[in-house]
C-alpha cells in the first residue's frame, strides 16, 4: 500500500511539474515574441554598479541601460531599499517591464557570517552546512537578493592557490555531498518561495587545477582525471537542482571554459541534462581575447554558440551580437535560447508574479544578524575548528589563572570573517580576546600584539587592497616581541593567535610561500624560548606549512576564519565548552616541495615502501613523502578506538550490497563526536586507481567510556571508476576497505567484487576486462 501511494504521489508530482513547465514555456514564449532583438540581447547582460568589483572593468550608465531594457541582471548591491530602486527602473520604466534578477557573492553567509567554506567543509556535517546556506538564503532574500554566486565546488590540490579557502578541499566525494547540501539550503523545495535564493555553482570547470597554484593560470588535465576527481561536485550540485552555473576563467583542453562548447553544451546540457542558465565569470568572456581566441565579436559569438547565456560585466554580448547576427556569425535561435533561459530563471524565482518578492525590510530588520542566526553561526564555527596537535592534553585550558594572549590576530575584528564576506560587517564580529572574556570570566589576560601580521611591505600593500586588514604598528618589531615575552613570563600559558589576514587567501591571493609570515614566526620563536606552554591558534584560508610549529609548540588549533562568532567559537573550544571534532578536508604538506599533495594519489610503479630502502623508489632525497597532517585528520580532547571491521558478506556484486560494521569506542576523558571515514582501494583495474578513495563517512557522538556501532552500506556503484572510454564502470576483483578517523590511521579488511551470477572463484575474478 505504501509503495502504491509513493508511486501515485510521484506521478502526481511529475504531472504537476510538467504543467508548471508548460505554463512557464507559454509565458516565456509570449514574452519573447514581444521583445526586440536589442531587448533580447539586453537580457543576456549582467552588470555591476560596484560593490563587488573583481576585475578592471565596472559597468557604466547602469540606470540608463536598465531603462532601455539592456540589462537582465545586476549584482553588487544589497539592502531592500537599494534593490527596490533599481527594480523600479526596470519594472516601471522599461518598455516590457521585465524584472531584473539581483545576485551577489553570498559565499559563507550573508550578514551573519559563517566559517569560510574550507572551514565549513571541515565539519563534515552536511545538515549543518545546509542549515548555514538556508540562513544565508533567508538573510540574502530579505535583503533583496534572488541569486547567490555559490557554492564554489572547485576541487583543489594546491594550497598555494588562494581560492582553496572558498571550496571544500581536495576530495570529490566530500565536495559532492557538500555541494548538494548548499544547493538544497539556498533553494529549498521551491524557488518561488521568497525566502530562497537561486544557487550558482562555480567555477565550471576545473578552476582549482591552476598550474603552480597561480591564480587564473592554465589548467591542463586528462579527461579521466576530470571525470573521476574534478567534475563530480559540479554534477552533484546540478543533480541537486542548482538553477545556474558560472563558467570559469581557465581553459579546458585549450579552449577557455566560457567559449567551450564541449563543456557548456555537450557535457553540461546533453550528458548532465542541465536546464538552468549559464553565466560567465567577471569579464571571462572578454578575457578570451587575451587567451588568444580572437576579437570581441568573434569570442562573443564563440561563447554564445558554446552555450553561455549571460555575460558578466564585459558587455561582449551587448555590443556585438546584433552585428554578428547580421553577419551570420550567430543565429536568432541561439540568442532566443539564451534569453529564454534567463527569463525562465526569473519565472522560476517568481519574479514575474512579484518583482519585489525578495525585498522585505521588516524581515530584514528582524532576521539579519539575529540572535538565532548568530547562535547557529557559533554552533557551526565550533565544529569547523580542527585540533592539529595537543601534547599532554594542554587543551582544554582551565578557566582560572593567567594567560598571555599574544599575536596580531588576538584582538582583531576586521579579519574574523575571512575572504568573500561582501555583505558581512566586521564591526559585528567577536575578536578572540572578547570571546575568551565571554567564556572564561575569571581568567586573567595579559595581552600583547607581539608582531604585525606581516612586515613585508609588498604583501601588506597587496593584501590591503580591499581594506586595512594588516595594520602596521608604529613600534619596532623588537619592541613588540619584547612586550610579548614579558607577558608570557607572567603567564601560566601562552595563547598565540597568528596566521593570515582574511584576504591573504581568496580570489587573486595565491602565495608562493605558505608559511606563517616571518614577523609572526619570529614572535613564535621568541615565545617558545620562554619555555612556557604554548597554544597556537591559527587563522588561515589554506593549509599552511607548520613543521616548525608542530615540532615546537604544545597545541595547535586551526580556526580558519570562523565568521561573525569567531572569538566565541574559539573560546568555546579552548576552554572545553565544545570538544573539537573538525577534520581536514585538505592535506597539510610537510614541505612546500611536496605540493601538489593529496591523499587520493596513485601508487606508481615504484612506491616507496617506508622501509628505509629509498634508492630507485618514488621519493625525495631530502624529505619524506608523507604530509604533516593527512586528509581527514583532526584530534579531539578524547580518544576514539576502532574495532576490526566486520563484513556482512566477503563479496559484493551488483544488486548485492555489503554492510560494513565496526565499533568506535571513546577511551578518553571527554564525551565527543567522531567522523568515521570509509575509504576503498581498487587493487586491480583497467585504469590505475588511487591508494585510497573516500566513499562514505558517518558522524557519531560517543560518551566517554562508551562505544557505538558504525555501519556503512557499499554497493558496486560505490566501487566504480572512470575507464578509458570515459565510462563509470565496476569491474570485479579485489578491493580493500579502510575505516578510520582520518585517511592515514585506519583499520582494514579485504572485499571481493564478483559478478552476480558467477560463483566467486579465483579464476572468475580477473579484472580489467573493459
Ligand atoms: C569573480 C569571481 O571569480 C567569482 O567567483 C565571483 O562570483 C564574481 N567575480 C562576481 O563577484
Amino acid at each position: 500500500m505504501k509503495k502504491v501511494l509513493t508511486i501515485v504521489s510521484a506521478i502526481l508530482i511529475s504531472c504537476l511539474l510538467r504543467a508548471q513547465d508548460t505554463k512557464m514555456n507559454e509565458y516565456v514564449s509570449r514574452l519573447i515574441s514581444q521583445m526586440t532583438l536589442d531587448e533580447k540581447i539586453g537580457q543576456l547582460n549582467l552588470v555591476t554598479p560596484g560593490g563587488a568589483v573583481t576585475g578592471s572593468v565596472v559597468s557604466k550608465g547602469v540606470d540608463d541601460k536598465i531603462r532601455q531594457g539592456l540589462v537582465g541582471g545586476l549584482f553588487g548591491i544589497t539592502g531592500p531599499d537599494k534593490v527596490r530602486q533599481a527594480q523600479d527602473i526596470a519594472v516601471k520604466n522599461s518598455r516590457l517591464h521585465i524584472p531584473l534578477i539581483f545576485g551577489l557573492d553570498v559565499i559563507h553567509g550573508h550578514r551573519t557570517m559563517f566559517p569560510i567554506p574550507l572551514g565549513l567543509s571541515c565539519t563534515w556535517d552536511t545538515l549543518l552546512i545546509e542549515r548555514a546556506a538556508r540562513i544565508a538564503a533567508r538573510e540574502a532574500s530579505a535583503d533583496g537578493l534572488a541569486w547567490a554566486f555559490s557554492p564554489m565546488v572547485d576541487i583543489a590540490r594546491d594550497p598555494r592557490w588562494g581560492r582553496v579557502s572558498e571550496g571544500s578541499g581536495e576530495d570529490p566525494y566530500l565536495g559532492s555531498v557538500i555541494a548538494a547540501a548548499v544547493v538544497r539550503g539556498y533553494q529549498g523545495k521551491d524557488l518561488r518561495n521568497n525566502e530562497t535564493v537561486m544557487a550558482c555553482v562555480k567555477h565550471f570547470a576545473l578552476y582549482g587545477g591552476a598550474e603552480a597554484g597561480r591564480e587564473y593560470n592554465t589548467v591542463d588535465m586528462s579527461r579521466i582525471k576530470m571525470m573521476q576527481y574534478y567534475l563530480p561536485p559540479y554534477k552533484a550540485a546540478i543533480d541537486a537542482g542548482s538553477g545556474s552555473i558560472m563558467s570559469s576563467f581557465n581553459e579546458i583542453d585549450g579552449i577557455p571554459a566560457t567559449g567551450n562548447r564541449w563543456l557548456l553544451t555537450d557535457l553540461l546540457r546533453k550528458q548532465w541534462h542541465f536546464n538552468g542558465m549559464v553565466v560567465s565569470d567577471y569579464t571571462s568572456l572578454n578575457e578570451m581575447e587575451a587567451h588568444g581566441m580572437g576579437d570581441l565579436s568573434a569570442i562573443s559569438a564563440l561563447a554564445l554558440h558554446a552555450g553561455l547565456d549571460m555575460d558578466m560585466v564585459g558587455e561582449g554580448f551587448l555590443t556585438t551580437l546584433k552585428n554578428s547576427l547580421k553577419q551570420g556569425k550567430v543565429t536568432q535561435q541561439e540568442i532566443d535560447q539564451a534569453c529564454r533561459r534567463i527569463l525562465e530563471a526569473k519565472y522560476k524565482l517568481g519574479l514575474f508574479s512579484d518583482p519585489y518578492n525578495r525585498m522585505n525590510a521588516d524581515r530584514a530588520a528582524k532576521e539579519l544578524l539575529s540572535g538565532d542566526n548568530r547562535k547557529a553561526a557559533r554552533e557551526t564555527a565550533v565544529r569547523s575548528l580542527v585540533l592539529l596537535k595537543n601534547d599532554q592534553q594542554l587543551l582544554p585550558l582551565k578557566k582560572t589563572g593567567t594567560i598571555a594572549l599574544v599575536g596580531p590576530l588576538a584582538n582583531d575584528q576586521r579579519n574574523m570573517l575571512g575572504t568573500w564576506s561582501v555583505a558581512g560587517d566586521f564591526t559585528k564580529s567577536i575578536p578572540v580576546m572578547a570571546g575568551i572574556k565571554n567564556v572564561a570570566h575569571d581568567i586573567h589576560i595579559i595581552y600583547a600584539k607581539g608582531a604585525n601580521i606581516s612586515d613585508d611591505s609588498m604583501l601588506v600593500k597587496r593584501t590591503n587592497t580591499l581594506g586595512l586588514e594588516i595594520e602596521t604598528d608604529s613600534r619596532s618589531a623588537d619592541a613588540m616581541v619584547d612586550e610579548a615575552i614579558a607577558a608570557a613570563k607572567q603567564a601560566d600559558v601562552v595563547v598565540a593567535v597568528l596566521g593570515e589576514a582574511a584576504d591573504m587567501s581568496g580570489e587573486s591571493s595565491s602565495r608562493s610561500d605558505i608559511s606563517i609570515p616571518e614577523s609572526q614566526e619570529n614572535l613564535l620563536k621568541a615565545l617558545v624560548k620562554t619555555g612556557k606552554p604554548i597554544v597556537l591558534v591559527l587563522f588561515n584560508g589554506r593549509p599552511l606549512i607548520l613543521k616548525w610549529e608542530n615540532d615546537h609548540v604544545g597545541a595547535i588549533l586551526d580556526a580558519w576564519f570562523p565568521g561573525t562568532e569567531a572569538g566565541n567559537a574559539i573560546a568555546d573550544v579552548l576552554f572545553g565548552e565544545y570538544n573539537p571534532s573538525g577534520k581536514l578536508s585538505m592535506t597539510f604538506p610537510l614541505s612546500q616541495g611536496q605540493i601538489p599533495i593529496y591523499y587520493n594519489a596513485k601508487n606508481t610503479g615504484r612506491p616507496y615502501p617506508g622501509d628505509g630502502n629509498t634508492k630507485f623508489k618514488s621519493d625525495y632525497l631530502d624529505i619524506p613523502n608523507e604530509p604533516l597532517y593527512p586528509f581527514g585528520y583532526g584530534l579531539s580532547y578524547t580518544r576514539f578506538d576502532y574495532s576490526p571491521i566486520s563484513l556482512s558478506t566477503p563479496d559484493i556484486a551488483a544488486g548485492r550490497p555489503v554492510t560494513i560494521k565496526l565499533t568506535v569506542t571513546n577511551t578518553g576523558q571527554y564525551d565527543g563526536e567522531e567522523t568515521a571515514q570509509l575509504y576503498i582501494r581498487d587493487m586491480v583495474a583497467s585504469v590505475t586507481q588511487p591508494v585510497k578513495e573516500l566513499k562514505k563517512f558517518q558522524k557519531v557522538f560517543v560518551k566517554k567510556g562508551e562505544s557505538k556501532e558504525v555501519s556503512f552500506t557499499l554497493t558496486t556503484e560505490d566501487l566504480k571508476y572512470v575507464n578509458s572510454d570515459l565510462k563509470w564502470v565496476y569491474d570485479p576483483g579485489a578491493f580493500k576497505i579502510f575505516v578510520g578517523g582520518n585517511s592515514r590511521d585506519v583499520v582494514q579488511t579485504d572485499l571481493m567484487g564478483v559478478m552476480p551470477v558467477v560463483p566467486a572463484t579465483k579464476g572468475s575474478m580477473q579484472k580489467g576486462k573493459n
Side-chain angles (χ1 to χ4, degrees):
M1 185 62 189
K2 212 170 147 201
K3 217 171 167 187
V4 175
L5 279 178
T6 321
I7 295 171
V8 171
S9 69
I11 294 173
L12 282 176
I13 291 172
S14 101
C15 289
L16 201 76
L17 288 178
R18 242 179 287 144
Q20 274 175 10
D21 276 359
T22 314
K23 253 175 96 183
M24 175 172 79
N25 284 342
E26 283 168 9
Y27 185 92
V28 170
S29 299
R30 209 172 320 118
L31 187 54
I32 289 184
S33 70
Q34 298 165 38
M35 294 170 82
T36 63
L37 178 60
D38 287 324
E39 283 166 340
K40 288 177 186 173
I41 296 172
Q43 285 302 307
L44 319 189
N45 193 25
L46 175 63
V47 299
T48 179
V53 177
T54 51
S56 47
V57 185
V58 187
S59 315
K60 296 212 176 69
V62 169
D63 289 4
D64 270 352
K65 282 182 185 147
I66 300 176
R67 231 170 261 126
Q68 293 164 46
L70 299 182
V71 174
L74 199 145
F75 72 102
I77 60 168
T78 180
D81 296 341
K82 275 198 200 152
V83 177
R84 183 176 291 274
Q85 272 172 28
Q87 191 68 302
D88 267 346
I89 308 179
V91 171
K92 297 187 178 152
N93 300 334
S94 73
R95 190 181 75 92
L96 288 172
H97 320 290
I98 299 175
L100 297 169
I101 179 173
F102 292 94
L104 193 74
D105 288 284
V106 176
I107 308 287
H108 51 110
H110 180 61
R111 297 275 171 166
T112 307
M113 299 306 300
F114 288 79
I116 56 165
L118 189 60
L120 277 175
S121 68
C122 292
T123 65
W124 292 52
D125 191 331
T126 51
L127 288 178
L128 205 68
I129 292 171
E130 184 174 336
R131 182 179 71 166
R134 188 85 277 278
I135 291 170
R138 288 179 64 92
E139 289 196 350
S141 58
D143 229 10
L145 305 173
W147 190 19
F149 297 152
S150 158
M152 168 171 145
V153 304
D154 306 317
I155 294 296
R157 295 171 165 181
D158 191 330
R160 291 172 297 182
W161 190 51
R163 298 201 85 166
V164 301
S165 55
E166 299 173 47
S168 294
E170 71 194 36
D171 182 63
Y173 176 71
L174 182 62
S176 296
V177 293
I178 292 176
V182 177
V183 172
R184 286 195 301 269
Y186 285 155
Q187 299 196 162
K189 290 208 163 58
D190 186 350
L191 280 175
R192 280 172 308 180
N193 176 338
N194 59 18
E195 293 178 0
T196 62
V197 290
M198 185 170 76
C200 184
V201 52
K202 67 190 190 185
H203 305 83
F204 195 54
L206 320 179
Y207 183 30
E211 284 177 359
R214 201 186 77 209
E215 181 64 307
Y216 314 127
N217 204 7
T218 307
V219 173
D220 193 5
M221 68 173 74
S222 72
R223 290 272 163 118
I224 288 184
K225 187 168 171 184
M226 287 181 204
M227 296 287 178
Q228 188 159 335
Y229 305 97
Y230 280 73
L231 291 175
Y234 307 101
K235 171 84 165 42
I238 302 283
D239 289 346
S242 181
S244 67
I245 191 163
M246 188 185 290
S247 68
S248 55
F249 288 119
N250 54 283
E251 65 177 63
I252 287 149
D253 279 344
I255 303 177
T258 304
N260 193 314
R261 190 169 163 85
W262 171 77
L263 184 76
L264 300 186
T265 295
D266 296 347
L267 181 70
L268 183 63
R269 303 266 180 209
K270 294 189 183 154
Q271 281 189 45
W272 292 2
H273 308 293
F274 175 64
N275 63 5
M277 72 176 184
V278 182
V279 62
S280 77
D281 202 344
Y282 203 106
T283 61
S284 68
L285 189 162
N286 314 55
E287 289 164 23
M288 287 199 283
E289 202 170 340
H291 276 286
M293 303 297 291
D295 63 14
L296 190 60
S297 156
I299 55 184
S300 300
L302 182 74
L304 185 74
H305 181 62
L308 184 77
D309 301 316
M310 202 172 210
D311 170 11
M312 190 191 289
V313 177
E315 303 201 336
F317 278 173
L318 191 75
T319 54
T320 68
L321 285 189
K322 199 171 179 182
N323 243 338
S324 293
L325 181 65
K326 271 193 215 134
Q327 295 166 0
K329 287 199 232 157
V330 300
T331 64
Q332 183 66 54
Q333 198 260 338
E334 285 172 329
I335 295 175
D336 286 0
Q337 180 65 268
C339 177
R340 171 178 293 277
R341 287 187 185 128
I342 290 152
L343 296 175
E344 282 179 359
K346 294 181 181 182
Y347 186 96
K348 289 176 196 159
L349 286 159
L351 291 171
F352 288 111
S353 327
D354 179 4
Y356 302 95
N357 64 2
R358 287 175 174 79
M359 294 150 218
N360 190 333
D362 288 346
R363 199 155 69 73
K366 229 183 289 151
E367 288 194 23
L368 303 188
L369 274 164
S370 70
D372 281 353
N373 292 357
R374 294 191 73 131
K375 184 168 164 270
R378 183 169 177 171
E379 285 166 4
T380 310
V382 292
R383 288 165 173 80
S384 71
L385 271 41
V386 184
L387 184 63
L388 297 175
K389 181 177 180 190
N390 195 20
D391 260 10
Q392 292 164 11
Q393 294 285 313
L394 178 53
L395 288 175
L397 297 174
K398 286 201 292 290
K399 288 185 180 172
T400 52
T402 301
I403 64 167
L405 183 62
V406 173
L409 289 152
N411 194 23
D412 173 289
Q413 237 190 343
R414 191 180 271 272
N415 289 290
M416 298 298 97
L417 306 183
T419 187
W420 273 126
S421 43
V422 181
D425 177 355
F426 72 82
T427 67
K428 300 286 192 309
S429 67
I430 311 285
V432 177
M433 176 134 83
I436 291 180
K437 286 180 180 161
N438 290 339
V439 171
H441 318 276
D442 296 333
I443 205 130
H444 176 51
I445 299 175
I446 310 174
Y447 166 73
K449 180 173 172 184
N452 295 316
I453 292 178
S454 171
D455 285 333
D456 173 342
S457 55
M458 185 179 83
L459 184 75
V460 172
K461 183 164 168 252
R462 294 176 73 175
T463 304
N464 283 349
T465 326
L466 300 175
L468 193 60
E469 293 180 3
I470 305 183
E471 282 189 61
T472 303
D473 209 278
S474 56
R475 291 170 295 171
S476 71
D478 285 348
M480 282 195 279
V481 170
D482 288 348
E483 186 193 26
I485 291 171
K489 285 186 175 155
Q490 296 169 60
D492 306 313
V493 61
V494 178
V495 176
V497 189
L498 311 180
E500 298 185 306
D503 283 293
M504 278 169 69
S505 63
E507 184 171 359
S508 187
S509 297
S510 293
R511 292 177 67 200
S512 71
D513 177 355
I514 56 168
S515 323
I516 294 174
E518 200 184 352
S519 54
Q520 300 184 67
E521 271 182 352
N522 292 340
L523 167 65
L524 192 61
K525 285 180 180 152
L527 291 169
V528 166
K529 277 199 193 134
T530 65
K532 293 285 178 172
I534 296 184
V535 176
L536 173 59
V537 176
L538 276 176
F539 282 81
N540 47 320
R542 54 159 62 79
L544 297 174
I545 301 295
L546 297 172
K547 179 165 178 351
W548 190 91
E549 292 75 3
N550 186 66
D551 287 346
H552 291 91
V553 306
I556 306 178
L557 179 67
D558 196 329
W560 310 110
F561 290 94
T564 309
E565 288 290 316
N568 287 336
I570 289 169
D572 283 342
V573 171
L574 287 179
F575 293 96
E577 292 294 316
Y578 182 78
N579 181 1
S581 62
K583 299 279 186 176
L584 296 179
S585 59
M586 220 178 153
T587 305
F588 273 51
L590 181 74
S591 146
Q592 324 244 20
Q594 294 176 322
I595 298 172
I597 182 168
Y598 45 94
Y599 86 96
N600 48 353
K602 300 292 182 73
N603 196 41
T604 81
R606 293 187 171 194
Y608 169 56
D611 58 1
N613 291 320
T614 63
K615 202 65 196 163
F616 306 121
K617 296 287 189 268
S618 175
D619 70 344
Y620 301 98
L621 282 179
D622 51 349
I623 49 167
N625 288 353
E626 286 71 36
L628 181 60
Y629 308 122
F631 174 82
Y633 172 88
L635 302 173
S636 161
Y637 293 153
T638 195
R639 210 191 116 86
F640 297 104
D641 288 346
Y642 284 70
S643 73
I645 298 173
S646 82
L647 300 180
S648 59
T649 137
D651 48 42
I652 186 170
R656 204 170 77 224
V658 60
T659 307
I660 294 157
K661 285 190 177 157
L662 79 165
T663 306
V664 176
T665 303
N666 181 339
T667 54
Q669 296 309 311
Y670 298 83
D671 300 344
E673 193 168 30
E674 169 69 327
T675 305
Q677 304 158 33
L678 184 146
Y679 299 87
I680 66 149
R681 177 167 176 192
D682 188 344
M683 299 306 290
V684 185
S686 64
V687 168
T688 61
Q689 293 304 301
V691 291
K692 270 185 196 125
E693 266 185 299
L694 181 72
K695 289 294 169 182
K696 306 265 163 171
F697 59 88
Q698 199 177 312
K699 295 189 80 88
V700 274
F701 183 82
V702 193
K703 292 206 160 140
K704 66 174 172 188
E706 294 188 3
S707 299
K708 277 233 174 107
E709 187 182 78
V710 177
S711 155
F712 301 99
T713 303
L714 268 196
T715 71
T716 49
E717 284 301 300
D718 300 310
L719 304 180
K720 286 186 168 173
Y721 65 89
V722 177
N723 72 5
S724 316
D725 298 328
L726 303 182
K727 300 243 158 39
W728 283 93
V729 293
Y730 152 74
D731 48 21
F735 291 88
K736 288 218 175 296
I737 306 291
F738 313 90
V739 184
N742 64 64
S743 60
R744 182 190 60 202
D745 306 313
V746 289
V747 287
Q748 59 171 288
T749 191
D750 296 318
L751 175 69
M752 206 34 105
V754 295
M755 298 300 275
V757 282
V758 181
T761 61
K762 263 258 168 235
S764 66
M765 282 166 209
Q766 292 305 313
K767 299 187 59 181
K769 290 188 242 87
N770 286 296

